[in-house]
Amino acid sequence: MLIFLIILCILAAIITAILLSPVYVIIKNDKSNNLIILYKLLFKTFGENPDPNHPIVKALKKSTGIERLEKESLEKNIEDSGLSTTVSETCRILADLLKEIAKLLKYCTAKEYKLKIICSSDDAAETAISYGKCCAAAFPLLGLFGSLMKIKKNGRNIDIRCDFTGKKELFRYKFVISVKLCHVLAAFLRVAITEAKRRVAIENEAEAKEKEKLNQQKTKKQD
């Protein structure tokens, strides 16, 4: 009995540690200015392009309603249910997803906010104007981040400078956002439960319409 309790406590501690571990979202660009999005959980880093046909990806899309936002599904729904019904359902799905994203952002922390911009051209006036525009764009973005989530103080690194020698311009960025896994799972479960209820309601409505058609057909036959 004592051994069983010890094992149970160890398992509970491991599960708690995993749930409280942070999920990192890394957004950056490479030397060729290609956008790179990476996800990191514990010691595993995932790429930005998961296989869309992978069973897990399909299951996540179906359970959250994202599957119904894809082109093939939208076209089928318009054909089966009509445009107005499809638009209404799509807006509901988007509204639910946006609400959960807004809730999730409250638990997010920007661990890194790095911008490195070098404005350079042969014309000094043009370089100065470019510098002013970059500052006007970069610092409000920092304010927007701060309004949506916490920003780690030593994670801010904004380096915007002018190079009047006319050398190559540079634009590099890196944002690292973290959120505890338990908050991500909670948001996923809320979306999944809402989507399950929506699917049941749609199925019940379809069954009711089918029964109504059958009853109308029976009434016509009797007449």
PDB file of all heavy atoms in Angstrom, residues 95-112:
ATOM      1  N   ALA A  95     -15.499  33.453 -33.718  1.00  0.00           N
ATOM      2  CA  ALA A  95     -15.713  34.220 -32.485  1.00  0.00           C
ATOM      3  C   ALA A  95     -15.247  33.424 -31.264  1.00  0.00           C
ATOM      4  O   ALA A  95     -14.577  33.970 -30.374  1.00  0.00           O
ATOM      5  CB  ALA A  95     -17.188  34.581 -32.345  1.00  0.00           C
ATOM      6  N   ASP A  96     -15.580  32.129 -31.227  1.00  0.00           N
ATOM      7  CA  ASP A  96     -15.158  31.275 -30.103  1.00  0.00           C
ATOM      8  C   ASP A  96     -13.639  31.153 -30.045  1.00  0.00           C
ATOM      9  O   ASP A  96     -13.035  31.220 -28.966  1.00  0.00           O
ATOM     10  CB  ASP A  96     -15.789  29.889 -30.227  1.00  0.00           C
ATOM     11  CG  ASP A  96     -17.289  29.901 -29.989  1.00  0.00           C
ATOM     12  OD1 ASP A  96     -17.756  30.832 -29.303  1.00  0.00           O
ATOM     13  OD2 ASP A  96     -17.994  28.998 -30.486  1.00  0.00           O
ATOM     14  N   LEU A  97     -13.013  30.984 -31.206  1.00  0.00           N
ATOM     15  CA  LEU A  97     -11.551  30.853 -31.260  1.00  0.00           C
ATOM     16  C   LEU A  97     -10.879  32.153 -30.813  1.00  0.00           C
ATOM     17  O   LEU A  97      -9.921  32.124 -30.023  1.00  0.00           O
ATOM     18  CB  LEU A  97     -11.098  30.489 -32.678  1.00  0.00           C
ATOM     19  CG  LEU A  97     -11.419  29.064 -33.155  1.00  0.00           C
ATOM     20  CD1 LEU A  97     -11.063  28.912 -34.628  1.00  0.00           C
ATOM     21  CD2 LEU A  97     -10.671  28.021 -32.335  1.00  0.00           C
ATOM     22  N   LEU A  98     -11.380  33.290 -31.282  1.00  0.00           N
ATOM     23  CA  LEU A  98     -10.791  34.582 -30.921  1.00  0.00           C
ATOM     24  C   LEU A  98     -10.951  34.876 -29.428  1.00  0.00           C
ATOM     25  O   LEU A  98     -10.060  35.444 -28.800  1.00  0.00           O
ATOM     26  CB  LEU A  98     -11.427  35.697 -31.754  1.00  0.00           C
ATOM     27  CG  LEU A  98     -11.047  35.709 -33.241  1.00  0.00           C
ATOM     28  CD1 LEU A  98     -11.877  36.737 -33.999  1.00  0.00           C
ATOM     29  CD2 LEU A  98      -9.561  35.981 -33.426  1.00  0.00           C
ATOM     30  N   LYS A  99     -12.092  34.495 -28.857  1.00  0.00           N
ATOM     31  CA  LYS A  99     -12.310  34.687 -27.415  1.00  0.00           C
ATOM     32  C   LYS A  99     -11.281  33.901 -26.605  1.00  0.00           C
ATOM     33  O   LYS A  99     -10.722  34.404 -25.629  1.00  0.00           O
ATOM     34  CB  LYS A  99     -13.720  34.239 -27.034  1.00  0.00           C
ATOM     35  CG  LYS A  99     -14.815  35.218 -27.448  1.00  0.00           C
ATOM     36  CD  LYS A  99     -16.185  34.661 -27.101  1.00  0.00           C
ATOM     37  CE  LYS A  99     -17.291  35.576 -27.609  1.00  0.00           C
ATOM     38  NZ  LYS A  99     -18.634  34.993 -27.353  1.00  0.00           N
ATOM     39  N   GLU A 100     -11.043  32.650 -27.020  1.00  0.00           N
ATOM     40  CA  GLU A 100     -10.080  31.820 -26.295  1.00  0.00           C
ATOM     41  C   GLU A 100      -8.652  32.324 -26.474  1.00  0.00           C
ATOM     42  O   GLU A 100      -7.845  32.259 -25.548  1.00  0.00           O
ATOM     43  CB  GLU A 100     -10.184  30.357 -26.755  1.00  0.00           C
ATOM     44  CG  GLU A 100     -11.452  29.669 -26.312  1.00  0.00           C
ATOM     45  CD  GLU A 100     -11.671  29.725 -24.814  1.00  0.00           C
ATOM     46  OE1 GLU A 100     -10.688  29.675 -24.050  1.00  0.00           O
ATOM     47  OE2 GLU A 100     -12.835  29.830 -24.395  1.00  0.00           O
ATOM     48  N   ILE A 101      -8.343  32.835 -27.672  1.00  0.00           N
ATOM     49  CA  ILE A 101      -7.010  33.406 -27.900  1.00  0.00           C
ATOM     50  C   ILE A 101      -6.811  34.629 -27.007  1.00  0.00           C
ATOM     51  O   ILE A 101      -5.746  34.820 -26.411  1.00  0.00           O
ATOM     52  CB  ILE A 101      -6.827  33.773 -29.387  1.00  0.00           C
ATOM     53  CG1 ILE A 101      -6.741  32.502 -30.242  1.00  0.00           C
ATOM     54  CG2 ILE A 101      -5.575  34.619 -29.592  1.00  0.00           C
ATOM     55  CD1 ILE A 101      -6.781  32.747 -31.728  1.00  0.00           C
ATOM     56  N   ALA A 102      -7.856  35.456 -26.900  1.00  0.00           N
ATOM     57  CA  ALA A 102      -7.784  36.647 -26.038  1.00  0.00           C
ATOM     58  C   ALA A 102      -7.564  36.253 -24.575  1.00  0.00           C
ATOM     59  O   ALA A 102      -6.775  36.884 -23.858  1.00  0.00           O
ATOM     60  CB  ALA A 102      -9.056  37.470 -26.186  1.00  0.00           C
ATOM     61  N   LYS A 103      -8.265  35.215 -24.123  1.00  0.00           N
ATOM     62  CA  LYS A 103      -8.082  34.730 -22.746  1.00  0.00           C
ATOM     63  C   LYS A 103      -6.678  34.183 -22.544  1.00  0.00           C
ATOM     64  O   LYS A 103      -6.037  34.420 -21.516  1.00  0.00           O
ATOM     65  CB  LYS A 103      -9.108  33.633 -22.434  1.00  0.00           C
ATOM     66  CG  LYS A 103     -10.534  34.119 -22.293  1.00  0.00           C
ATOM     67  CD  LYS A 103     -11.463  32.943 -22.018  1.00  0.00           C
ATOM     68  CE  LYS A 103     -12.917  33.382 -21.947  1.00  0.00           C
ATOM     69  NZ  LYS A 103     -13.829  32.229 -21.738  1.00  0.00           N
ATOM     70  N   LEU A 104      -6.192  33.442 -23.549  1.00  0.00           N
ATOM     71  CA  LEU A 104      -4.884  32.797 -23.444  1.00  0.00           C
ATOM     72  C   LEU A 104      -3.762  33.832 -23.396  1.00  0.00           C
ATOM     73  O   LEU A 104      -2.754  33.627 -22.699  1.00  0.00           O
ATOM     74  CB  LEU A 104      -4.687  31.850 -24.631  1.00  0.00           C
ATOM     75  CG  LEU A 104      -3.512  30.854 -24.555  1.00  0.00           C
ATOM     76  CD1 LEU A 104      -3.655  29.951 -23.340  1.00  0.00           C
ATOM     77  CD2 LEU A 104      -3.450  30.033 -25.829  1.00  0.00           C
ATOM     78  N   LEU A 105      -3.929  34.938 -24.125  1.00  0.00           N
ATOM     79  CA  LEU A 105      -2.888  35.968 -24.161  1.00  0.00           C
ATOM     80  C   LEU A 105      -2.625  36.560 -22.776  1.00  0.00           C
ATOM     81  O   LEU A 105      -1.522  37.027 -22.492  1.00  0.00           O
ATOM     82  CB  LEU A 105      -3.290  37.080 -25.136  1.00  0.00           C
ATOM     83  CG  LEU A 105      -3.137  36.758 -26.627  1.00  0.00           C
ATOM     84  CD1 LEU A 105      -3.727  37.865 -27.470  1.00  0.00           C
ATOM     85  CD2 LEU A 105      -1.683  36.518 -26.993  1.00  0.00           C
ATOM     86  N   LYS A 106      -3.638  36.541 -21.899  1.00  0.00           N
ATOM     87  CA  LYS A 106      -3.469  37.082 -20.548  1.00  0.00           C
ATOM     88  C   LYS A 106      -2.446  36.284 -19.747  1.00  0.00           C
ATOM     89  O   LYS A 106      -1.837  36.805 -18.811  1.00  0.00           O
ATOM     90  CB  LYS A 106      -4.808  37.081 -19.810  1.00  0.00           C
ATOM     91  CG  LYS A 106      -5.853  38.018 -20.422  1.00  0.00           C
ATOM     92  CD  LYS A 106      -7.167  37.921 -19.670  1.00  0.00           C
ATOM     93  CE  LYS A 106      -8.232  38.808 -20.295  1.00  0.00           C
ATOM     94  NZ  LYS A 106      -9.538  38.683 -19.598  1.00  0.00           N
ATOM     95  N   TYR A 107      -2.278  35.000 -20.120  1.00  0.00           N
ATOM     96  CA  TYR A 107      -1.346  34.130 -19.404  1.00  0.00           C
ATOM     97  C   TYR A 107       0.003  34.030 -20.115  1.00  0.00           C
ATOM     98  O   TYR A 107       0.892  33.308 -19.658  1.00  0.00           O
ATOM     99  CB  TYR A 107      -1.940  32.728 -19.256  1.00  0.00           C
ATOM    100  CG  TYR A 107      -3.248  32.697 -18.502  1.00  0.00           C
ATOM    101  CD1 TYR A 107      -4.457  32.551 -19.166  1.00  0.00           C
ATOM    102  CD2 TYR A 107      -3.274  32.839 -17.117  1.00  0.00           C
ATOM    103  CE1 TYR A 107      -5.664  32.532 -18.473  1.00  0.00           C
ATOM    104  CE2 TYR A 107      -4.470  32.832 -16.417  1.00  0.00           C
ATOM    105  CZ  TYR A 107      -5.658  32.667 -17.102  1.00  0.00           C
ATOM    106  OH  TYR A 107      -6.850  32.662 -16.416  1.00  0.00           O
ATOM    107  N   CYS A 108       0.133  34.742 -21.237  1.00  0.00           N
ATOM    108  CA  CYS A 108       1.375  34.668 -22.024  1.00  0.00           C
ATOM    109  C   CYS A 108       2.403  35.686 -21.517  1.00  0.00           C
ATOM    110  O   CYS A 108       2.047  36.745 -21.004  1.00  0.00           O
ATOM    111  CB  CYS A 108       1.094  34.929 -23.500  1.00  0.00           C
ATOM    112  SG  CYS A 108       0.147  33.629 -24.314  1.00  0.00           S
ATOM    113  N   THR A 109       3.668  35.345 -21.704  1.00  0.00           N
ATOM    114  CA  THR A 109       4.766  36.250 -21.378  1.00  0.00           C
ATOM    115  C   THR A 109       5.718  36.316 -22.568  1.00  0.00           C
ATOM    116  O   THR A 109       6.112  35.274 -23.105  1.00  0.00           O
ATOM    117  CB  THR A 109       5.543  35.764 -20.134  1.00  0.00           C
ATOM    118  OG1 THR A 109       4.652  35.673 -19.023  1.00  0.00           O
ATOM    119  CG2 THR A 109       6.675  36.716 -19.802  1.00  0.00           C
ATOM    120  N   ALA A 110       6.059  37.524 -22.979  1.00  0.00           N
ATOM    121  CA  ALA A 110       7.045  37.690 -24.046  1.00  0.00           C
ATOM    122  C   ALA A 110       8.435  37.611 -23.424  1.00  0.00           C
ATOM    123  O   ALA A 110       8.881  38.553 -22.763  1.00  0.00           O
ATOM    124  CB  ALA A 110       6.838  39.021 -24.757  1.00  0.00           C
ATOM    125  N   LYS A 111       9.087  36.482 -23.603  1.00  0.00           N
ATOM    126  CA  LYS A 111      10.412  36.280 -23.025  1.00  0.00           C
ATOM    127  C   LYS A 111      11.482  37.064 -23.781  1.00  0.00           C
ATOM    128  O   LYS A 111      12.449  37.539 -23.191  1.00  0.00           O
ATOM    129  CB  LYS A 111      10.762  34.787 -23.043  1.00  0.00           C
ATOM    130  CG  LYS A 111       9.884  33.926 -22.159  1.00  0.00           C
ATOM    131  CD  LYS A 111      10.144  34.183 -20.695  1.00  0.00           C
ATOM    132  CE  LYS A 111       9.355  33.239 -19.811  1.00  0.00           C
ATOM    133  NZ  LYS A 111       9.582  33.510 -18.377  1.00  0.00           N
ATOM    134  N   GLU A 112      11.302  37.143 -25.085  1.00  0.00           N
ATOM    135  CA  GLU A 112      12.247  37.901 -25.919  1.00  0.00           C
ATOM    136  C   GLU A 112      11.490  38.777 -26.902  1.00  0.00           C
ATOM    137  O   GLU A 112      10.526  38.334 -27.527  1.00  0.00           O
ATOM    138  CB  GLU A 112      13.174  36.962 -26.688  1.00  0.00           C
ATOM    139  CG  GLU A 112      14.189  36.242 -25.837  1.00  0.00           C
ATOM    140  CD  GLU A 112      15.163  35.438 -26.677  1.00  0.00           C
ATOM    141  OE1 GLU A 112      15.593  35.942 -27.735  1.00  0.00           O
ATOM    142  OE2 GLU A 112      15.492  34.311 -26.288  1.00  0.00           O
TER     143      GLU A 112
END
